[in-house]
Amino acid sequence: MENKKLIIDYQEYASREELPAADRALLDAAIAAIQGSYAPYSHFNVGAAVRLADGTVVKGANQENAAYPSGLCAERTAMFAASANHPGVPFESLAVVCSRDGKLMPNPGSPCGACRQVMAQYERESKRPLRIILGSGGPILVFEGVESIMPLIFNDL
Ligand code: THU
């Protein structure tokens, strides 16, 4: 038996002003996407934006439902919309932000496991690492590839 450690490399930026321009633009698109959040139950508003390899930006926001499990997270709303409307165009990056009562949360939004699994599949289809930008009103974390936020990804191939 051997004890092993996983090490994750990521970048932390103190504020959106510090981000490279392309990441900042995608984060801003995710912030704008919050307008489309429908969250009458949790009152927790999440926005996401996917940039495709051809430069197209597709936004998504969480959608809730009286039958709770029928709702969907912002990340999957954005990714499914991107794939449905631009089939086969590789994903380049994804930004996520969250807010409550019209105020961005102090900590970065962190995608749930189901959204990470969906990211992993589109990343594999895209044949390139998906850049993941997690921010809100405070520090912003940037990860290069889904493996960084979901080690030991399930892969059916
Ligand atoms: N939510 C997202 O949209 N993305 C996440 O990464 C975590 C949670 C949504 C689901 C639900 O509408 C609300 O936030 C509270 O869980």
Side-chain angles (χ1 to χ4, degrees):
M1 194 276 271
E2 227 183 302
N3 280 316
K4 302 255 186 182
K5 275 198 176 69
L6 289 168
I7 295 176
I8 296 172
D9 283 317
Y10 65 98
Q11 296 150 358
E12 180 168 332
Y13 295 86
S15 67
R16 65 176 284 294
E17 289 75 27
E18 275 191 15
L19 282 172
D23 293 343
R24 194 166 64 231
L26 200 62
L27 191 82
D28 288 348
I31 292 170
I34 287 176
Q35 296 307 318
S37 166
Y38 174 65
Y41 303 101
S42 71
H43 304 285
F44 188 69
N45 305 111
V46 187
V50 181
R51 179 182 289 108
L52 304 178
D54 65 3
T56 307
V57 171
V58 179
K59 294 188 286 189
N62 58 328
Q63 303 297 315
E64 297 185 350
N65 191 275
Y68 284 17
S70 302
L72 196 64
C73 294
E75 295 90 324
R76 272 176 288 165
T77 306
M79 289 187 282
F80 290 155
S83 179
N85 290 295
H86 306 273
V89 184
F91 285 19
E92 186 187 284
S93 44
L94 168 74
V96 186
V97 298
C98 48
S99 77
R100 204 191 289 279
D101 300 325
K103 273 205 183 124
L104 290 173
M105 301 297 284
N107 293 319
S110 191
C112 76
C115 288
R116 292 176 198 216
Q117 182 64 35
V118 170
M119 286 177 206
Q121 183 132 353
Y122 287 120
E123 179 181 64
R124 198 180 68 205
E125 289 288 334
S126 299
K127 299 185 172 62
R128 57 188 289 174
L130 179 67
R131 188 171 172 85
I132 300 160
I133 303 151
L134 305 181
S136 283
I140 296 143
L141 313 181
V142 179
F143 299 85
E144 201 62 45
V146 181
E147 189 80 32
S148 299
I149 60 165
M150 190 169 70
L152 310 176
I153 291 172
F154 170 71
N155 187 334
D156 65 348
L157 296 180

